[in-house]
Amino acid sequence: MGRKVTVATCALNQWALDFEGNLQRILKSIEIAKHKGARYRLGPELEICGYGCWDHYYESDTLLHSLQVLAALLESPVTQDIICDVGMPIMHRNVRYNCRVIFLNRKILLIRPKMALANEGNYRELRWFTPWSRSRQTEEYFLPRTIQDLTKQETVPFGDAVLSTRDTCIGSEVCEELWTPHSPHVDMGLDGVEIFTNASGSHHVLRKAHARVDLVTTATTKNGGIYLLANQKGCDGDRLYYDGCALIAMNGSIFAQGSQFSLDDVEVLTATLDLEDVRSYRAEISSRNLAASRVSPYPRVKVDFALSCHEDLLEPLSEPVEWKYHSPAEEISLGPACWLWDFLRRSQQAGFFLPLSGGVDSGATACLVYSMCHQVCEAVKHGSQEVLADVRTIVNQTSYTPQDPRELCGRILTTCYMASENSSRETCNRARDLAQQIGSHHIGLNIDPAVKAVLGIFSLVTGKSPAFAAYGGSSRESLALQNVQARVRMVIAYLFAQLSLWSRGAPGRLLVLGSTNVDESLLGYLTKYDCSSADINPIGGISKTDLRAFVQLCMERFQLPALQSILVAPATAELEPLAHRQVSQTDEEDMGVTYAELSVYGRLRKIAKMGPYSMFCRLLYVWKDVCTPRQVADKVKRFFSKYSTNRHKMTTLTPAYHAESYSPDDNRFDLRPFLYNTRWPWQFRCIETQVLQLERRQHQDLDGVD
């Protein structure tokens, strides 16, 4: 009697609206699953159209082309003799739903709409879809004629139901439903569902991987059962990187772990598990069995198909594995590097152009490109034909095979140190040494002629010549002079990105990389339309503290000693005149706040959802040993004044890799006004009242001491 089942889940690098490519990746995953002996294949959420279609979900074209891909899947011989579970948008009675379509041998078994939609942070599913709210109920869905012709079915069940095969029972939950207080798997498990499937569209955030693993292991520890989680991977067209981590678990243990970051477009996991292990595990949990006797039943769709074989006694079973996590520094070295690779190959550009200043931020960005080159060489070494084909297209050489990351980096990364009269010899040397060690094509140039030309136009028109504060000018003049230098660098960066390959007799243009970190963006410590303005920014969602840890990792892992001097040097913009040939300007002095403090403010503002008064109250306690109430109040006021004054800069921020929960990205994640009353009169008055009360109490306590 068969009781061992082989099931498959996958992580696919789907691309929004790339219906052709998405179809091929789905077919390839099904083919691999069948080759590994699986009889059930689960794919990621909305895999047919790609998760990140956003407002394209409103278009009838998206629905139409998704149905056309579904038809191609139903028709393909690859999908025969395996239950296929695919994700796509479906309109039912003029309402759009985010659905799982489960089919077998040209017959649709069930369309299961998502019941809890993700609508926080980067997610806006309620904008495009409606949740299915009729728990344990189904309706008839009338199939479009093109699908009817293939399946010979007029209607199929649509709603909250489970599949009952000859040997087991399978239930679906979709992404967000795993995270809800009362997930569907709870009642499904009590009703006898033994295999749970979860199709996700979950993106990378630093230190988040454990949350998914913990939820799945906890679910199957409490309720028993087999749990399959599929996820998208890669950049499907915007700031997010979907980080795979497909998994198969049973009874609280992990039996298969997918990679979190990789350049493979298709990754399939399988496990062979014994259904009797689920049944015996559940048998001794009496509290579960009492609850099961009272649960309302799910509608069951009968499927004349078995996941197990009759003769399976000698079939080897999968063994539990220990989940391996990356450190945050490793996550940074891998995630943004994979995102850069997807962006480069899918934008069909010839490489990257990076203004390299000799500081930690641009140095970290250069290291990410080098890490990307390292991963590309490793993937080619391990036989990835897709990566090899992509890299040959990028370098425009059909016989090229990358072997050395330094050599590849020289082909696809151009770095440029843009000196001015305010630049120091030290930063120039640091940039040159790093470029030499990673192998980038490095350019050194001086921007002073361009700066003088721009200022010359102003002087010609106004008859006035602004001066730095060090030479007697006002703060207004000094800031304007700094901004001219910064903006000239952006203009030069784009010129060289468009024409530097042309000047070398090579085709194509380069993507300009920005390198502003999340903390500087939060405070607005950047010039609007300076080198922070670029095509993409791989470090824009990463804190300075995490970047330093990443640079330390690169120094050791990639043997890049030039990073040592970059790490110990004070962060500086070098936009003000040097004092005795030494840097006179540091970032933390300029900002009036440390990077460590900025991370604290950022987390309290966004994650803890605090305004000025709440933040003051919290930090009063957190910093009680190092700051007086007056000092805490001054720090909080300074932060909110600067943050609100500069918030307008977030509206033009370069699209950045999303890695941090306190990102100030104005596009979709952190929605705020950009015209504030920067004096915060009411809020600051509340803080002041508390400070005065605390100071009065302190004086009274001192007066009472003889």
Side-chain angles (χ1 to χ4, degrees):
M1 167 111 180
R3 62 186 198 178
K4 295 176 184 175
V5 295
T6 301
V7 287
T9 184
C10 59
L12 303 184
N13 194 335
Q14 302 298 70
W15 189 9
L17 303 177
D18 178 26
F19 293 98
E20 182 62 44
N22 293 348
L23 169 62
Q24 295 311 317
R25 285 181 284 271
I26 293 168
L27 285 170
K28 184 177 177 182
S29 72
I30 296 168
E31 205 165 8
I32 295 169
K34 282 176 72 175
H35 181 71
K36 291 183 171 186
R39 291 168 73 82
Y40 189 103
R41 175 268 183 200
L42 174 73
E45 186 174 10
L46 294 164
E47 61 186 309
I48 282 180
C49 55
Y51 184 81
C53 294
W54 309 144
D55 279 1
H56 289 289
Y57 286 123
Y58 288 134
E59 299 167 5
S60 60
D61 280 17
T62 305
L63 296 168
L64 169 68
H65 299 324
S66 296
L67 284 168
Q68 289 168 336
V69 171
L70 177 62
L73 288 168
L74 287 163
E75 216 168 5
S76 170
V78 172
T79 63
Q80 299 301 294
D81 301 319
I82 182 170
I83 297 177
C84 297
D85 185 336
V86 300
M88 62 183 280
I90 282 187
M91 184 179 278
H92 173 55
R93 300 183 182 176
N94 288 354
V95 178
R96 282 180 180 79
Y97 293 97
N98 173 348
C99 294
R100 304 305 301 169
V101 179
I102 307 169
F103 62 90
L104 169 68
N105 294 339
R106 291 200 180 192
K107 300 287 183 193
I108 294 174
L109 306 172
L110 172 67
I111 298 176
R112 203 300 202 155
K114 191 172 181 179
M115 300 177 71
L117 300 182
N119 213 55
E120 71 289 329
N122 284 297
Y123 295 104
R124 292 284 180 280
E125 289 180 13
L126 280 169
R127 181 179 172 95
W128 309 293
F129 299 115
T130 300
W132 180 255
S133 54
R134 299 174 61 191
S135 177
R136 289 169 239 202
Q137 292 183 48
T138 62
E139 296 176 352
E140 284 189 319
Y141 174 74
F142 285 80
L143 291 170
R145 278 178 296 181
T146 50
I147 305 296
Q148 284 185 31
D149 292 344
L150 283 170
T151 67
K152 309 305 180 195
Q153 298 164 287
E154 189 180 2
T155 64
V156 295
F158 183 103
D160 186 21
V162 297
L163 300 184
S164 193
T165 64
R166 285 189 218 146
D167 49 0
T168 188
C169 191
I170 306 162
S172 298
E173 58 184 13
V174 188
C175 198
E176 179 74 7
E177 294 169 8
L178 172 61
W179 302 74
T180 57
H182 192 85
S183 298
H185 69 253
V186 175
D187 286 345
M188 286 194 296
L190 294 174
D191 191 34
V193 170
E194 295 176 327
I195 300 174
F196 310 105
T197 65
N198 186 311
S200 281
S202 184
H203 64 77
H204 176 231
V205 174
L206 286 171
R207 306 172 178 86
K208 176 188 167 186
H210 70 90
R212 271 176 295 205
V213 179
D214 291 350
L215 282 167
V216 171
T217 52
T218 302
T220 57
T221 299
K222 284 164 57 173
N223 212 351
I226 296 166
Y227 202 108
L228 281 67
L229 186 138
N231 194 19
Q232 184 149 314
K233 67 192 299 192
C235 164
D236 82 337
D238 72 351
R239 295 160 173 79
L240 307 180
Y241 178 83
Y242 298 90
D243 60 337
C245 289
L247 64 86
I248 300 174
M250 181 176 73
N251 300 345
S253 298
I254 301 292
F255 283 79
Q257 173 187 357
S259 61
Q260 187 175 13
F261 312 104
S262 91
L263 303 186
D264 295 326
D265 283 348
V266 177
E267 181 182 19
V268 178
L269 300 183
T270 58
T272 301
L273 302 166
D274 194 333
L275 292 170
E276 289 303 317
D277 287 340
V278 174
R279 292 159 191 166
S280 57
Y281 182 90
R282 287 176 170 177
E284 64 177 359
I285 310 174
S286 58
S287 58
R288 178 210 165 268
N289 298 335
L290 282 168
S293 66
R294 295 190 297 268
V295 76
S296 301
Y298 276 78
R300 274 167 159 70
V301 176
K302 291 179 184 171
V303 184
D304 188 17
F305 186 76
L307 300 195
S308 56
C309 301
H310 278 297
E311 303 300 325
D312 63 3
L313 279 175
L314 299 177
E315 186 77 23
L317 289 169
S318 301
E319 295 291 329
V321 296
E322 194 70 36
W323 192 278
K324 293 182 177 66
Y325 293 99
H326 294 291
S327 70
E330 288 171 336
E331 288 186 70
I332 294 168
S333 76
L334 297 168
C338 291
W339 183 75
L340 283 173
W341 174 247
D342 278 347
F343 218 100
L344 179 61
R345 67 195 181 110
R346 287 176 168 171
S347 64
Q348 299 182 313
Q349 301 304 304
F352 299 113
F353 182 91
L354 172 65
L356 192 62
S357 69
V360 167
D361 293 338
S362 62
T365 306
C367 287
L368 282 174
V369 178
Y370 185 73
S371 175
M372 183 199 83
C373 293
H374 191 270
Q375 288 184 70
V376 167
C377 290
E378 284 296 302
V380 169
K381 189 169 132 188
H382 288 104
S384 174
Q385 292 304 307
E386 291 92 344
V387 173
L388 181 60
D390 284 333
V391 79
R392 285 174 171 174
T393 301
I394 290 163
V395 302
N396 196 42
Q397 198 173 322
T398 53
S399 60
Y400 175 67
T401 300
Q403 292 172 319
D404 174 25
R406 280 191 80 250
E407 187 274 335
L408 177 58
C409 197
R411 288 173 178 262
I412 62 177
L413 176 62
T414 298
T415 50
C416 181
Y417 182 81
M418 303 188 202
S420 76
E421 60 187 9
N422 302 321
S423 303
S424 65
R425 174 53 47 193
E426 289 79 12
T427 53
C428 178
N429 290 344
R430 292 200 295 266
R432 185 200 60 224
D433 291 349
L434 179 59
Q436 187 270 323
Q437 286 172 22
I438 64 173
S440 66
H441 178 83
H442 191 62
I443 300 166
L445 55 83
N446 192 295
I447 65 169
D448 286 337
V451 173
K452 286 184 171 68
V454 172
L455 292 173
I457 295 169
F458 180 81
S459 299
L460 193 65
V461 173
T462 64
K464 301 263 187 183
S465 294
F468 282 104
Y471 304 139
S474 65
S475 60
R476 247 195 318 178
E477 293 168 67
S478 194
L479 186 60
L481 289 171
Q482 292 179 63
N483 287 344
V484 167
Q485 296 168 74
R487 289 178 176 131
V488 161
R489 286 188 171 115
M490 186 270 286
V491 172
I492 290 171
Y494 271 95
L495 175 65
F496 274 79
Q498 286 183 294
L499 293 180
S500 65
L501 290 180
W502 167 80
S503 72
R504 288 180 257 161
R509 67 173 289 271
L510 306 174
L511 288 164
V512 180
L513 295 179
S515 53
T516 301
N517 64 59
V518 73
D519 297 323
E520 290 168 349
S521 297
L522 176 66
L523 199 68
Y525 184 64
L526 53 97
T527 300
K528 212 172 185 180
Y529 305 117
D530 67 349
C531 277
S532 64
S533 292
D535 292 315
I536 50 172
N537 178 359
I539 69 162
I542 304 170
S543 73
K544 190 78 161 190
T545 307
D546 283 338
L547 282 174
R548 295 182 71 84
F550 159 65
V551 169
Q552 181 74 39
L553 176 87
C554 290
M555 184 174 73
E556 296 159 8
R557 185 164 292 179
F558 298 135
Q559 301 296 299
L560 302 172
L563 293 173
Q564 180 62 49
S565 59
I566 289 174
L567 277 171
V568 298
T572 172
E574 289 196 330
L575 295 170
E576 291 186 16
L578 301 173
H580 311 295
R581 299 197 175 181
Q582 297 298 310
V583 171
S584 62
Q585 176 188 31
T586 67
D587 290 353
E588 291 191 335
E589 278 178 30
D590 249 11
M591 293 188 296
V593 57
T594 67
Y595 281 108
E597 287 172 344
L598 267 178
S599 286
V600 172
Y601 298 143
R603 287 189 168 89
L604 292 179
R605 181 198 71 98
K606 177 67 180 171
I607 301 172
K609 300 167 183 66
M610 291 184 175
Y613 182 72
S614 297
M615 190 181 292
F616 164 74
C617 294
R618 175 68 59 85
L619 292 177
L620 202 58
Y621 171 76
V622 174
W623 289 346
K624 67 179 186 299
D625 297 330
V626 290
C627 293
T628 65
R630 172 67 58 192
Q631 288 170 327
V632 173
D634 289 344
K635 284 174 179 286
V636 170
K637 288 178 185 176
R638 187 183 306 120
F639 166 70
F640 272 97
S641 295
K642 289 200 170 189
Y643 155 75
S644 55
T645 298
N646 290 322
R647 181 67 198 193
H648 66 95
K649 295 178 182 178
M650 297 306 95
T651 62
T652 61
L653 210 59
T654 295
Y657 179 97
H658 180 89
E660 188 55 80
S661 305
Y662 69 90
S663 164
D665 165 36
D666 186 74
N667 173 264
R668 189 170 70 244
F669 182 70
D670 188 43
L671 305 180
R672 316 268 170 155
F674 57 88
L675 177 62
Y676 280 93
N677 182 343
T678 58
R679 290 174 290 112
W680 301 84
W682 189 284
Q683 295 91 329
F684 286 4
R685 192 161 61 245
C686 290
I687 293 175
E688 193 61 27
T689 301
Q690 287 297 326
V691 172
L692 291 171
Q693 282 180 14
L694 290 165
E695 287 177 343
R696 212 174 295 125
R697 198 178 306 155
Q698 197 175 21
H699 287 313
Q700 287 168 355
D701 291 346
L702 288 171
D703 290 343
V705 177
D706 275 334

